[in-house]
Amino acid sequence: MTDQERNAKIKYLESYKWLNAEIEDDEERLARLDARLYSPGAVKISDMPKGGQPVTMDSLVAQKLELRDRINAKCARRNEILNRIESLPDHRDRRILKLEFIDDLTHEQVAERINYSVTQTRRYYEAALERFEL
């Protein structure tokens, strides 16, 4: 495996944690939109000019639907990463990659969790990366 292939695999696997963070952020935005939609006096419509786009219930609902679609797409990409890890035939490869990239543990933390030395854990990690298919 070349360094370029290795880096591409790591970048792909690391995108799991970034997708998680983005999903959490989007869920918070969704909650704020829901609060605006369902709170009393959420959308005030007036005939007085105010500049900018008027906020209507329809525009808030459209924003909510668009945000929900983005969240679903990110969840699908995150699940794809997990499914690719799960498809590895070796249980040790699956466990190490999940601990590293899904649980976001360090090599030292993974070694402690699986009761191997850090050196051996790094060897298993490299072997798991080698067998992981993009």
Side-chain angles (χ1 to χ4, degrees), residues 92-119:
R92 185 172 43 215
D93 291 349
R94 289 191 306 269
R95 185 160 189 218
I96 287 174
L97 291 181
K98 280 191 214 173
L99 290 171
E100 287 270 346
F101 295 104
I102 306 304
D103 297 337
D104 200 25
L105 301 180
T106 64
H107 286 310
E108 292 76 17
Q109 292 168 321
V110 173
E112 186 177 316
R113 182 77 68 90
I114 63 175
N115 294 318
Y116 287 116
S117 69
V118 174
T119 304

Side-chain angles (χ1 to χ4, degrees), residues 13-22 101-102 104:
L13 289 165
E14 283 180 339
S15 69
Y16 185 92
K17 70 180 171 187
W18 296 111
L19 287 166
N20 259 351
E22 289 176 17
F101 295 104
I102 306 304
D104 200 25

Side-chain angles (χ1 to χ4, degrees), residues 1-7 9 126 129-132:
M1 170 171 62
T2 67
D3 282 346
Q4 186 176 9
E5 290 169 331
R6 182 183 183 281
N7 292 337
K9 288 178 181 183
E126 290 299 328
L129 266 183
E130 180 80 35
R131 289 185 282 269
F132 182 77

Side-chain angles (χ1 to χ4, degrees), residues 55-113:
V55 177
T56 65
M57 289 294 260
D58 288 342
S59 67
L60 289 176
V61 169
Q63 287 177 30
K64 181 178 175 180
L65 292 174
E66 181 184 325
L67 189 53
R68 178 51 55 200
D69 287 344
R70 282 195 310 236
I71 291 169
N72 289 340
K74 289 173 186 175
C75 286
R77 289 197 322 252
R78 186 183 62 182
N79 288 338
E80 176 193 319
I81 295 167
L82 187 56
N83 288 338
R84 284 183 180 212
I85 293 172
E86 288 288 341
S87 72
L88 288 167
D90 186 50
H91 66 89
R92 185 172 43 215
D93 291 349
R94 289 191 306 269
R95 185 160 189 218
I96 287 174
L97 291 181
K98 280 191 214 173
L99 290 171
E100 287 270 346
F101 295 104
I102 306 304
D103 297 337
D104 200 25
L105 301 180
T106 64
H107 286 310
E108 292 76 17
Q109 292 168 321
V110 173
E112 186 177 316
R113 182 77 68 90

